[in-house]
């Protein structure tokens, strides 16, 4: 694991981003979730977000991913950021908010943060009964 940590540091990941990746923060599923959706981004990586929602507030958020360290760090950050927020507030977060929250991830990894944002949008649309592909 130390070699991976060193590699991530050299690649430009902040200590916070590496910790999220290593600790797998919010990675998992929610058996009795209110909505879930899996989305595959243009890079071919897939994220699935699970939400528990009560009175329009997100009170639990987890995710799974088949993807890179950037996808995992972004998924951890976003699920943490939206916990306790209303659906409208959660939809306001964008990829730059994730990048700022993580401190630093390589600039070319911005599409990994976009994968997390898009997956969340689709998961909330699913909850609202909006058809999508
Ligand atoms: Fe696809 Fe990071 S390379 S999400």
């Amino acid at each position: 694991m130390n070699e991976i940590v060193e590699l991530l540091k050299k690649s430009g990941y902040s200590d916070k981003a590496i910790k999220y990746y290593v600790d797998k923060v919010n990675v998992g599923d929610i058996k009795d979730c209110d909505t879930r959706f899996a989305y595959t981004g243009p890079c071919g990586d897939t994220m699935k977000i699970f939400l528990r929602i009560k009175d329009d507030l997100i009170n639990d958020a987890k995710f799974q991913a088949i993807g890179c360290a950037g996808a995992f760090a972004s998924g951890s950050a976003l699920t943490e950021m939206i916990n306790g927020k209303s659906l409208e507030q959660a939809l306001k977060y964008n990829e730059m908010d994730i990048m700022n929250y993580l401190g630093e991830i390589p600039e070319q990894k911005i599409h990994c943060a976009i994968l997390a944002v898009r997956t969340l949008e689709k998961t909330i649309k699913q909850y609202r009964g909006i058809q999508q592909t």
Side-chain angles (χ1 to χ4, degrees):
M1 184 57 83
N2 277 348
E3 274 179 37
I4 292 172
V5 168
E6 283 312 310
L7 269 175
L8 290 170
K9 268 190 190 178
K10 275 192 195 143
S11 309
Y13 286 84
S14 68
D15 289 344
K16 185 176 180 182
I18 293 170
K19 190 163 167 39
Y20 279 129
Y21 174 64
V22 171
D23 291 351
K24 304 210 175 310
V25 173
N26 291 332
V27 175
D29 62 6
I30 302 173
K31 296 275 178 260
D32 57 344
C33 65
D34 295 297
T35 182
R36 61 173 168 261
F37 198 85
Y39 169 65
T40 301
C43 68
D45 288 343
T46 300
M47 185 174 292
K48 185 172 188 179
I49 291 183
F50 304 76
L51 299 177
R52 195 178 292 142
I53 299 164
K54 187 150 197 287
D55 298 332
D56 212 49
L57 290 179
I58 296 169
N59 58 29
D60 199 8
K62 297 264 187 294
F63 78 101
Q64 294 172 340
I66 303 165
C68 68
F72 276 93
S74 297
S76 292
L78 186 60
T79 48
E80 197 167 88
M81 290 156 71
I82 62 174
N83 211 349
K85 301 287 190 303
S86 71
L87 297 179
E88 280 317 307
Q89 286 172 313
L91 285 169
K92 288 199 178 115
Y93 289 120
N94 63 29
E95 55 276 15
M96 289 315 296
D97 296 318
I98 293 176
M99 302 285 266
N100 291 334
Y101 191 84
L102 287 172
E104 199 180 354
I105 64 173
E107 211 173 303
Q108 66 269 30
K109 287 294 186 181
I110 193 156
H111 73 268
C112 313
I114 293 173
L115 175 70
V117 170
R118 293 280 171 277
T119 307
L120 177 65
E121 286 168 3
K122 288 173 178 291
T123 307
I124 291 175
K125 277 187 181 171
Q126 172 90 351
Y127 177 71
R128 290 174 165 168
I130 299 169
Q131 288 293 323
Q132 56 200 316
T133 53

